[in-house]
Amino acid sequence: PNMRQLVSGSMDACLMVWNFKPQLRAYRFVGHRGAVMDAKFNPSGTIIASASKDRTVRMWAPTVRGESAVIKAHTGPVRSVDFSFDGRLLATASDDKTAKVWSVSGHRFRCSLSGHQNWVRCAQFSPDARLLVTCSDDKTVRLWDIDKHAPLHTFFDHNGLVNVVRFHPDGTCVASGSSDRTLKLWDTRTRQLMQHYPAHGDNVTDVAFHPSGNFLTTASNDS
């Protein structure tokens, strides 16, 4: 968030924090016992959350000491982590077919969201942290009410596993990328499909909105 550091996770079970100033060396954090599938800074840049195939989430201080706290989060590999925009909540998604919400303070469990029929690949908070959106290998995207711990709507339009889903910065729509090679956008208020793009020649692996909300980037295995 402060544009001074970049975090990356690897199949070697390590986390790297890269400093943009050339005179500062990178930090290598060791603790996970399986591949690191995702890693995110909190909004203030003071905490890193990492998700691993070892079924845990770790909360790291991005300093040279690299101290961490372990959350035994799921019964399957953890695919993604996401902080709410105020930094108070953390969402995790797992191969155990659930997404979970945690309080960052004290690493307390808040709720589990069950309903997907296959691995949950990604979970992200809405800008106001009232909703969570998830996507899964069951080819669906789901909207959840966090306070009620309940599903609000399920989108069935994809024809392949859904790798990634993201909220628009104003929270009015979500974008998802799938192995069916398409990018789709849904209105979160009307629950209708807004746009369908045959975006790539292969699996769509990631999507990201520009902070202004005016642009959307996609990544794919089509090179």
Side-chain angles (χ1 to χ4, degrees), residues 10-170:
S10 170
M11 298 297 286
D12 65 5
C14 294
L15 203 70
M16 295 292 294
V17 177
W18 308 89
N19 293 291
F20 291 157
K21 289 185 177 181
Q23 64 268 33
L24 296 176
R25 67 181 180 85
Y27 305 146
R28 182 174 182 264
F29 295 162
V30 178
H32 282 298
R33 297 183 178 181
V36 179
M37 308 300 290
D38 194 19
K40 297 260 175 44
F41 277 99
N42 70 342
S44 63
T46 57
I47 300 172
I48 297 170
S50 59
S52 173
K53 277 193 171 182
D54 67 9
R55 307 179 183 182
T56 71
V57 169
R58 282 183 177 257
M59 309 285 272
W60 307 82
T63 63
V64 66
R65 296 179 67 180
E67 296 175 333
S68 68
V70 183
I71 302 174
K72 294 180 180 179
H74 289 271
T75 59
V78 188
R79 293 274 174 179
S80 81
V81 288
D82 186 61
F83 286 99
S84 60
F85 283 75
D86 60 9
R88 295 180 179 180
L89 300 176
L90 180 76
T92 59
S94 170
D95 288 3
D96 66 9
K97 306 178 186 178
T98 71
K100 294 184 179 182
V101 178
W102 311 79
S103 293
V104 173
S105 176
H107 311 144
R108 297 188 307 274
F109 171 75
R110 292 283 295 268
C111 68
S112 182
L113 304 173
S114 301
H116 281 294
Q117 303 302 307
N118 208 328
W119 297 353
V120 183
R121 296 244 170 196
C122 182
Q124 191 187 36
F125 288 104
S126 61
D128 61 7
R130 295 175 59 189
L131 304 178
L132 193 76
V133 65
T134 58
C135 64
S136 169
D137 283 16
D138 65 10
K139 305 179 185 179
T140 69
V141 171
R142 290 179 180 245
L143 276 176
W144 307 83
D145 184 309
I146 295 174
D147 288 337
K148 295 180 179 178
H149 310 166
L152 291 175
H153 191 74
T154 303
F155 301 103
F156 293 97
D157 301 79
H158 278 296
N159 295 316
L161 64 87
V162 189
N163 290 306
V164 61
V165 64
R166 304 286 186 224
F167 266 100
H168 186 277
D170 68 8

Side-chain angles (χ1 to χ4, degrees), residues 1-13:
N2 57 19
M3 301 301 292
R4 296 177 181 175
Q5 294 177 310
L6 176 72
V7 63
S8 62
S10 170
M11 298 297 286
D12 65 5

